[in-house]
Amino acid sequence: MDKKSPHILNASSNLLGFSLLIITSLKITKISGNTHLDEFAGIACILFACSCFFSFLAIRTGNEKREIKFESIADYLFLTALFCIVLAVIIVTMRII
């Protein structure tokens, strides 16, 4: 099986920054009260942070069984967070149109 943990860690940390940028820009423009955009971005932040944590644990562990388990958890957390970001982008798109 290919090691996905370094890729998950890289992508999760980048998208965590993107999610934090969304939340910050919403707070600055005071749009956060009108939509659920900040909730989706906040959930995505938490999930991306957890995904980073588990992918890091998968990289650092010496136990093969734990590595597979941590990598799988990180993968599912990343996918769920990505879904939240997609919902946030859809909300922004609908708001603009």
Side-chain angles (χ1 to χ4, degrees):
M1 187 167 144
D2 230 5
K3 306 277 186 207
K4 296 184 287 186
S5 298
H7 302 293
I8 295 171
L9 181 60
N10 185 22
S12 289
S13 60
N14 285 329
L15 289 173
L16 175 61
F18 176 71
S19 300
L20 290 171
L21 181 69
I22 290 173
I23 292 172
T24 303
S25 62
L26 286 173
K27 296 297 180 185
I28 289 173
T29 59
K30 296 182 177 39
I31 298 176
S32 62
N34 300 337
T35 65
H36 295 290
L37 185 58
D38 57 336
E39 284 89 357
F40 286 125
I43 292 168
C45 281
I46 292 168
L47 293 173
F48 280 132
C50 291
S51 180
C52 287
F53 177 71
F54 280 107
S55 61
F56 179 77
L57 286 178
I59 292 169
R60 298 294 295 173
T61 189
N63 187 333
E64 183 75 27
K65 200 172 186 180
R66 263 194 239 146
E67 179 183 354
I68 292 169
K69 182 179 178 181
F70 289 152
E71 190 173 272
S72 178
I73 292 169
D75 203 18
Y76 286 117
L77 287 171
F78 179 79
L79 183 62
T80 307
L82 200 57
F83 180 71
C84 289
I85 290 295
V86 168
L87 287 176
V89 169
I90 289 171
I91 291 172
V92 167
T93 304
M94 297 304 273
R95 189 138 172 96
I96 292 173
I97 294 175

